[in-house]
Amino acid sequence: MRLLLIWVFLIGSPQLNFITDYHLLYDQKEQLASEDVVVIQKKRIPIEILEPVKEALSHFPDLEDVDITFEFKEKISGSVMQAQPKVFSLFVDGKDKRKYRIKITRLLDFGDIIIPIEKVPNDALVGWIGHELGHIMDYLDRSSTNMMRFGFKYIVSKQKVVEAELAADSYAIECGLGHQVLATKEYILNHEGFDDEYKEKIRTLYMTPEAIVNLQEEMNEEESIFD
């Protein structure tokens, strides 16, 4: 059972989905499997989101040499985006050479409107990507055994989920993406298209807008002391 739960964590955990049958509106092959992928310093990025990804990455110098694949998915069991170590790499590569992927929902389905992910407001999209990069920052120093243990706890313990999500937000904010992370939260919580269950998940498992502002202010105060 434990191995099964770890496998679910690595492949994808069941949560909310925002994609429905949009085949009559979009050509699936074109929309989901972008043929235009840009490779920049061990990063593979669909061209549709190249600029927001580059903007988010610019705040994470520690990830400069980390292998990360950004890939579109029709569905992600869990959320709009999800950062994970690649399964094979987790077992064959040392933590210094481990490869990661960030899965990104191609289209947000709000019932009467379907929004390609690149049409999300830039600050909100950069903050979303920054949050996932925050997860990878959290994974960097974990051994493979620790990662599997972490994955098991993430699946069975709500408290561990909260700790992991707060850590990812904190990394992003500390790297200078406080404004963008706040924009992401406000975009979700104020958008009528996201259902109440997903909004409640954002409120209870992630850093609140007030906490983001407070952390940003604390960081600004610390910076002013040392200037």
Side-chain angles (χ1 to χ4, degrees), residues 99-112:
K99 299 175 178 64
Y100 300 90
R101 65 176 180 169
I102 294 179
K103 299 187 293 185
I104 300 172
T105 300
R106 184 68 188 93
L107 303 169
L108 301 179
D109 182 6
F110 296 130
D112 58 341

Side-chain angles (χ1 to χ4, degrees), residues 37-46 50 53-54 57 60-70 100 102 133 136:
V37 175
V38 179
V39 180
I40 303 176
Q41 204 162 11
K42 297 185 179 179
K43 312 296 187 295
R44 283 160 293 281
I45 310 166
L50 177 61
V53 169
K54 286 171 59 179
L57 282 168
F60 292 86
D62 289 347
L63 298 179
E64 183 175 358
D65 295 322
V66 177
D67 189 304
I68 304 173
T69 298
F70 298 81
Y100 300 90
I102 294 179
L133 293 173
I136 293 179

Side-chain angles (χ1 to χ4, degrees), residues 6-225:
I6 292 171
W7 182 260
V8 169
F9 169 75
L10 293 172
I11 301 301
S13 54
Q15 300 172 34
L16 301 176
N17 295 317
F18 293 105
I19 303 300
T20 57
D21 189 356
Y22 52 82
H23 297 159
L24 296 178
L25 299 176
Y26 293 90
D27 181 85
Q28 185 181 32
K29 182 176 180 181
E30 283 188 7
Q31 291 297 325
L32 297 180
S34 174
E35 295 180 359
D36 296 318
V37 175
V38 179
V39 180
I40 303 176
Q41 204 162 11
K42 297 185 179 179
K43 312 296 187 295
R44 283 160 293 281
I45 310 166
I47 196 168
E48 293 89 343
I49 55 171
L50 177 61
E51 293 307 317
V53 169
K54 286 171 59 179
E55 183 177 344
L57 282 168
S58 70
H59 291 266
F60 292 86
D62 289 347
L63 298 179
E64 183 175 358
D65 295 322
V66 177
D67 189 304
I68 304 173
T69 298
F70 298 81
E71 56 187 55
F72 286 143
K73 294 293 183 182
E74 177 183 355
K75 295 181 180 180
I76 299 175
S77 53
S79 54
V80 174
M81 300 185 190
Q82 189 176 68
Q84 301 167 322
K86 291 187 175 180
V87 177
F88 187 72
S89 180
L90 184 65
F91 292 103
V92 303
D93 295 325
K95 63 182 180 181
D96 293 337
K97 296 183 178 181
R98 188 182 297 146
K99 299 175 178 64
Y100 300 90
R101 65 176 180 169
I102 294 179
K103 299 187 293 185
I104 300 172
T105 300
R106 184 68 188 93
L107 303 169
L108 301 179
D109 182 6
F110 296 130
D112 58 341
I113 185 172
I114 295 175
I115 301 177
I117 194 67
E118 67 268 22
K119 298 301 182 182
V120 170
N122 186 71
D123 281 349
L125 184 54
V126 171
W128 230 324
I129 296 166
H131 173 85
E132 299 308 321
L133 293 173
H135 277 301
I136 293 179
M137 289 289 293
D138 188 32
Y139 300 157
L140 287 182
D141 290 329
R142 296 178 182 270
S143 66
S144 295
T145 301
N146 182 274
M147 276 299 306
M148 289 187 284
R149 187 181 302 115
F150 167 83
F152 174 75
K153 291 181 179 179
Y154 187 94
I155 292 170
V156 302
S157 170
K158 180 179 179 179
Q159 181 59 36
K160 291 300 179 182
V161 175
V162 173
E163 291 176 4
E165 301 305 339
L166 292 181
D169 273 343
S170 297
Y171 274 116
I173 295 167
E174 290 168 4
C175 287
L177 286 173
H179 171 73
Q180 291 87 341
V181 171
L182 179 60
T184 306
K185 300 299 188 295
E186 291 180 340
Y187 176 74
I188 296 170
L189 295 176
N190 296 329
H191 199 297
E192 293 182 355
F194 291 102
D195 62 35
D196 291 340
E197 185 177 358
Y198 184 70
K199 290 182 179 182
E200 184 62 19
K201 171 189 171 182
I202 296 300
R203 293 189 187 98
T204 58
L205 301 183
Y206 295 73
M207 193 174 290
T208 65
E210 294 78 14
I212 293 170
V213 171
N214 290 338
L215 179 56
Q216 188 68 53
E217 290 177 349
E218 290 176 9
M219 290 176 57
N220 292 339
E221 290 176 1
E222 291 177 0
E223 290 176 0
S224 64
I225 292 175

